[in-house]
Amino acid sequence: MTTQAVVEIMRDALFLILEVSLPILLVSMIVGLIVSIFQTVTSIQEQTLTFVPKVVAIFTALMLLGNWMLTTMVEYTTQLWSSFSMYVHK
């Protein structure tokens, strides 16, 4: 296994991590921003107010995007394991 192959595997893995986690992180960030704006407008400074909407939004996003996320990860893993013989030298 060459250094270039290791770098390529790691690059693909990191890109996959970003690709799969980005939608959930964006949902959390957008909901947090909306709740923060609501807190600023209404002068409600309750720290736990952001928790429930974020949990509901992330759960909903996982329900909607979970199939795509799992399929993407399984495809990468299958591709990695199917080319395993290329990486092993006798």
Side-chain angles (χ1 to χ4, degrees):
M1 178 177 249
T2 64
T3 306
Q4 182 181 0
V6 173
V7 169
E8 184 178 332
I9 291 171
M10 290 304 296
R11 180 181 48 86
D12 291 343
L14 289 173
F15 181 74
L16 179 71
I17 291 168
L18 278 173
E19 182 182 6
V20 169
S21 65
L22 193 61
I24 303 301
L25 293 173
L26 285 175
V27 166
S28 177
M29 185 179 71
I30 290 169
V31 169
L33 181 65
I34 291 170
V35 171
S36 294
I37 290 171
F38 174 75
Q39 284 181 324
T40 302
V41 169
T42 60
S43 298
I44 299 174
Q45 297 303 321
E46 179 62 36
Q47 296 296 326
T48 59
L49 184 62
T50 61
F51 182 73
V52 174
K54 276 188 182 179
V55 168
V56 171
I58 290 173
F59 180 73
T60 304
L62 284 173
M63 293 300 291
L64 294 174
L65 300 172
N67 185 35
W68 167 77
M69 293 167 70
L70 187 60
T71 302
T72 304
M73 290 186 287
V74 167
E75 285 174 358
Y76 175 74
T77 305
T78 304
Q79 181 267 330
L80 189 64
W81 281 103
S82 66
S83 60
F84 187 71
S85 62
M86 290 182 359
Y87 305 125
V88 178
H89 295 290
K90 291 183 180 182

